Amino acid sequence: MNLFASKDDLIRWIGELLKEHIVIAPVQVQEQTLFQPISKAEEVVFDFNNTTLSPKGWFLPPTETLFSVQKDDGKVELVPTQVERDAVIFGLHPCDARGIALMDKPFLEEPSDTLYRERRNRTALIGLACRQAQPECFCTSMGSAPDDPSNVDILLTEVEDGYIVQVVTEKGKTLLPKGLAEYKGKVPAPPELKAVPTREVISAMRELFNDPYWEQVADRCLHCNICAYVCPTCYCFDMRDYADKGKVERVRSWESCQSPGFSLTAGGYDPRTTKGERLRQRFYHKLFYFPEQFQDVACVGCGRCVRDCPVNIDIREVISNLQQVTEAKSGS
Amino acid sequence: MGLESPFVPYLATLKTAIQLTPDIKLLNVELEDPDIRANFDYKPGQFALLSAFGEGEAPFGIVSLSLQKDGLEFAVRRIGTVTRALQELEPGDTLGVRGPFGNCFPLEDYVRKNIIVIGGGIGMAPLRPVINRILERRNDYKELLIINGARTPQDLVFQPEFPAWMKAPGTKLELTVDRGDEDWKGRVALVPDVVKELAPSPDSAIAIICGPPIMIRFTLARLRDLGFKDNQIVTTLEAKMKCGLGKCARCNLGEKYVCQDGPVFTLEQISQFLEQP
Ligand SMILES: Cc1cc2nc3c(=O)[nH]c(=O)nc-3n(C[C@H](O)[C@H](O)[C@H](O)COP(=O)(O)OP(=O)(O)OC[C@H]3O[C@@H](n4cnc5c(N)ncnc54)[C@H](O)[C@@H]3O)c2cc1C
Ligand code: SF4
Ligand code: SF4
Ligand code: FES
């Protein structure tokens, strides 16, 4: 059953949620819209293009301490980071929710990442359907849709005078405010998106590995790693120790396969020394290795990398080009 | 919460550190928790991540044999930050251990075969437990030929064990160095050339190789010349690693994660990877 909430109802509801939860929602920070913990409901932005960074950082922070090393009388103790409070991510788009569902696959697979799992278990997702798509969006080619409710606990859809509240999971039910009326109107149709030939290309990936295309497309890559940092499904991470004034911590932080030296071993050997090999790794992980391992493409079509790559390396174009390469090969 | 994070290492104490070569030390490490110690079961070829707290963590083959009374052993070659810090630990100091990780050499499948073990430099580390397991179960295997190479005589790794290896029945130890010194009366030759010279037969044989990539490349070619098939040649792959859990994607090579699917592969398996090492 669908319920209805006016904008004022939503603001009151967020205020209620803030009493017991950390609420992470899109807020305006200078030029950017970012998911951040809020302190009052009025901060929330409802009408936004995809946020600069995806909400993955709540589960896999850009940097976080995994454990700290404490020394007491020469005796060493390792103190793991604990998750202190329940949280709600409010207003995430369906593509970002799917991004989280995809990150679950490696992180919840046994031996599961306890910190990730604990945050995941203690976080509810209240999604916001997209009434408008951006030019760079292609979620429908990547297993999601602007009105996809499958990876959230509650989905909100904006209508003329308020929001449709669709409760998806039991967890969602427990978060509902009292007194919302039933919504009897029509559910608006989602926007239409241009399609990308994902399926065709995935089935051809094995044959495309040694194609000269990779060096060509990667030639202009600056290995700035922006594509990986903005991406809701890129999850490579680094682990290092930091020692500061006697305080020792093991810290994990985002990394990217686009960094030169990412795969360089201490012995000096590196399987990926060229830009083409590294860019190919990004696309193969998304379009071939992840699907082989987990039966899903590791891209949700949010368009962030398309929007933010300083040299316009566009995954939609790469996929279309790969299809052309495949057709040219099978044609000749 | 109860459940332990897979990123938090077991605490361990350094018992002894023996200088094996100018840059390699044999560390004997005892896990602090008696229950964990009693259940820390592992196989030749598996590795662990050692932590020098404040410096970081790195992977090392476990060179002892499982459930040995006297702790876990690692042969650590000093090459960078973590390895230097591990070598600077004093007996009694605390370090961290995560593992065991990875697959192993399937020694049960090699029963009644001739085994050729070929190691270069620190590449002998994962081969030491292979040799010692075979010697422990000597009657299960036929001839054992060990070819061990290093840059100089001083760099040959497990010298204190050479007498035992040489004396073992049906076992031959062939040493070689790239550069000799006044006292060296043995071979001065590259490992691939020694393989060519000794020309072990591929009949009912398995060759296990570990060493620098260049040595592996040329040794493989010599073994193929001798008639070894790709499924008779086993090696370990080198890869940068961070998590050891198949999550950080650092060791990803084609469809494989070396930390989980490897590090041990036959040449036949490797030749089928989409991305070649
Ligand atoms: C499965 C497995 C088993 C292993 N077993 C053993 C073993 O039994 N014994 C053993 O000794 N080793 C073993 N190794 C290798 C060992 O893990 C490495 O030597 C170790 O990780 C080095 O760590 P480090 O911090 O000392 O070196 P690092 O400080 O990480 O680096 C070492 C070298 O690389 C250079 N370097 C680092 N980063 C860069 C960069 N970005 N660009 C250019 N150069 C750089 C440094 O200058 C230095 O010369 C094993 C590796 C694997 C994967
Ligand atoms: S954002 Fe563009 S330039 Fe930067 S690493 Fe990614 S593909 Fe290369
Ligand atoms: S690869 Fe690009 S479009 Fe796909 S999920 Fe990542 S950032 Fe979004
Ligand atoms: S070391 Fe992290 S995935 Fe293998």
Side-chain angles (χ1 to χ4, degrees):
Chain A
M1 184 176 69
N2 287 338
L3 302 170
F4 176 80
S6 68
K7 183 97 178 246
D8 286 344
D9 291 337
L10 282 192
I11 297 288
R12 268 195 299 278
W13 181 17
I14 296 169
E16 282 302 308
L17 290 172
L18 271 167
K19 290 183 185 157
E20 306 277 336
H21 302 82
I22 299 173
V23 177
I24 296 111
V27 297
Q28 197 66 35
V29 184
Q30 293 168 348
E31 309 286 277
Q32 303 180 328
T33 320
L34 293 168
F35 277 96
Q36 286 193 347
I38 55 166
S39 51
K40 52 182 198 301
E42 288 72 18
E43 292 172 50
V44 179
V45 182
F46 286 85
D47 204 4
F48 60 95
N49 302 338
N50 274 339
T51 49
T52 305
L53 297 176
S54 83
K56 79 172 172 190
W58 176 250
F59 303 101
L60 182 70
T63 70
E64 70 176 334
T65 298
L66 292 169
F67 61 84
S68 58
V69 183
Q70 302 198 341
K71 277 194 191 139
D72 194 16
D73 249 359
K75 187 114 186 73
V76 174
E77 202 194 335
L78 306 179
V79 184
T81 300
Q82 302 285 344
V83 177
E84 305 291 347
R85 290 184 62 194
D86 290 343
V88 174
I89 300 183
F90 186 93
L92 76 173
H93 287 160
C95 58
D96 282 347
R98 183 172 166 83
I100 295 166
L102 291 174
M103 293 243 302
D104 284 351
K105 291 174 185 256
F107 286 96
L108 297 183
E109 183 188 52
E110 288 305 327
S112 70
D113 181 330
T114 37
L115 200 52
Y116 179 96
R117 194 186 57 207
E118 195 65 6
R119 284 207 189 95
R120 194 69 175 92
N121 287 343
R122 295 184 65 171
T123 304
L125 304 178
I126 301 182
L128 180 62
C130 300
R131 292 297 315 280
Q132 269 186 335
Q134 294 307 303
E136 63 271 16
C137 291
F138 60 108
C139 59
T140 47
S141 300
M142 292 293 169
S144 187
D147 59 349
D148 176 14
S150 38
N151 302 300
V152 291
D153 298 300
I154 293 176
L155 184 70
L156 306 175
T157 307
E158 191 182 5
V159 285
E160 218 157 277
D161 44 355
Y163 291 82
I164 306 172
V165 181
Q166 181 186 350
V167 181
V168 184
T169 66
E170 285 301 313
K171 195 176 189 175
K173 219 182 244 174
T174 64
L175 293 173
L176 271 188
K178 287 196 194 70
L180 294 185
E182 192 180 339
Y183 177 78
K184 296 223 178 70
K186 268 197 181 153
V187 179
E192 300 259 341
L193 301 183
K194 242 171 99 184
V196 171
T198 314
R199 229 161 262 292
E200 294 82 334
V201 166
I202 287 178
S203 58
M205 286 302 271
R206 192 174 276 283
E207 277 67 50
L208 292 165
F209 193 83
N210 291 314
D211 200 275
Y213 177 71
W214 297 110
E215 292 296 342
Q216 287 160 21
V217 66
D219 190 42
R220 62 185 193 269
C221 175
L222 309 170
H223 30 78
C224 65
N225 293 353
I226 284 175
C227 51
Y229 294 170
V230 299
C231 179
T233 64
C234 271
Y235 62 91
C236 289
F237 60 82
D238 192 28
M239 290 163 65
R240 279 167 197 263
D241 282 11
Y242 281 95
D244 185 32
K245 300 190 190 88
K247 200 172 158 224
V248 174
E249 292 179 334
R250 178 142 309 150
V251 172
R252 105 162 124 191
S253 45
W254 292 354
E255 239 298 12
S256 164
C257 59
Q258 301 311 291
S259 308
F262 178 78
S263 46
L264 176 70
T265 65
Y269 156 75
D270 190 345
R272 283 175 223 120
T273 52
T274 69
K275 288 185 189 190
E277 286 164 345
R278 290 194 293 270
L279 199 70
R280 178 177 67 188
Q281 171 67 11
R282 174 167 159 82
F283 287 103
Y284 268 79
H285 195 203
K286 292 196 173 300
L287 303 175
F288 191 68
Y289 308 147
F290 198 91
E292 291 265 299
Q293 200 181 358
F294 298 117
Q295 289 72 54
D296 264 316
V297 190
C299 168
V300 297
C302 73
R304 284 185 178 89
C305 59
V306 177
R307 187 177 69 188
D308 295 331
C309 174
V311 294
N312 296 325
I313 294 176
D314 180 335
I315 182 170
R316 299 167 309 173
E317 201 179 292
V318 170
I319 292 174
S320 301
N321 289 346
L322 290 173
Q323 194 196 20
Q324 286 156 13
V325 173
T326 309
E327 278 172 358
K329 274 189 176 163
S330 62
S332 61
Chain B
M1 267 177 21
L3 279 158
E4 288 294 318
S5 163
F7 294 111
V8 178
Y10 302 133
L11 291 176
T13 310
L14 183 68
K15 288 283 158 193
T16 58
I18 301 167
Q19 195 82 46
L20 285 179
T21 77
D23 59 0
I24 299 172
K25 270 190 179 178
L26 183 70
L27 306 184
N28 187 301
V29 166
E30 186 178 76
L31 297 166
E32 279 182 9
D33 185 315
D35 289 337
I36 294 168
R37 196 189 313 151
N39 293 304
F40 195 95
D41 195 8
Y42 57 93
K43 297 208 163 82
Q46 287 196 292
F47 66 95
L49 289 156
L50 296 185
S51 285
F53 295 118
E55 299 296 340
E57 197 177 36
F60 300 93
I62 315 176
V63 304
S64 45
L65 290 176
S66 188
L67 305 179
Q68 236 172 232
K69 284 184 295 295
D70 43 356
L72 304 172
E73 287 178 333
F74 300 92
V76 174
R77 174 166 175 243
R78 190 180 66 243
I79 189 166
T81 314
V82 176
T83 48
R84 179 181 309 275
L86 287 169
Q87 287 212 354
E88 281 169 2
L89 293 175
E90 303 274 352
D93 284 352
T94 303
L95 68 164
V97 179
R98 288 201 292 136
F101 292 124
N103 65 356
C104 60
F105 293 103
L107 292 180
E108 309 78 48
D109 300 348
Y110 305 160
V111 165
R112 283 185 296 282
K113 289 190 191 294
N114 297 312
I115 313 284
I116 302 121
V117 170
I118 307 170
I122 187 65
M124 277 305 280
L127 302 177
R128 181 213 197 201
V130 170
I131 296 168
N132 286 338
R133 176 54 47 84
I134 290 172
L135 295 187
E136 195 183 76
R137 302 181 182 167
R138 192 64 200 88
N139 295 332
D140 288 357
Y141 301 90
K142 291 212 204 124
E143 301 295 304
L144 171 62
L145 170 62
I146 306 165
I147 301 174
N148 180 5
R151 277 167 303 168
T152 72
Q154 299 186 66
D155 293 310
L156 288 163
V157 194
F158 297 106
Q159 298 199 29
E161 281 162 275
F162 288 173
W165 292 355
M166 281 188 226
K167 272 206 302 269
T171 304
K172 258 212 220 110
L173 174 65
E174 299 284 350
L175 302 173
T176 184
V177 296
D178 301 350
R179 263 178 294 122
D181 58 23
E182 308 85 86
D183 301 329
W184 180 253
K185 303 205 177 54
R187 268 195 190 80
V188 179
L190 298 175
V191 168
D193 297 333
V194 176
V195 171
K196 187 176 174 186
E197 176 204 324
L198 298 174
S201 160
D203 292 341
S204 184
I206 291 285
I208 306 177
I209 317 178
C210 195
I214 186 99
M215 180 210 100
I216 294 188
R217 174 138 25 103
F218 287 104
T219 304
L220 292 179
R222 295 295 85 79
L223 287 169
R224 279 173 169 155
D225 295 345
L226 292 170
F228 280 79
K229 297 277 179 311
D230 285 2
N231 62 6
Q232 292 175 280
I233 306 176
V234 190
T235 185
T236 68
L237 284 184
E238 196 188 355
K240 183 80 182 169
M241 291 183 184
K242 284 284 168 175
C243 72
L245 303 165
K247 301 197 193 299
C248 76
R250 191 62 75 101
C251 69
N252 179 220
L253 191 70
E255 309 91 314
K256 302 291 175 193
Y257 285 83
V258 178
C259 71
Q260 300 262 296
D261 302 316
V264 177
F265 296 100
T266 64
L267 206 51
E268 188 180 34
Q269 289 167 323
I270 294 172
S271 66
Q272 277 155 26
F273 292 179
L274 194 54
E275 186 176 29
Q276 286 298 307

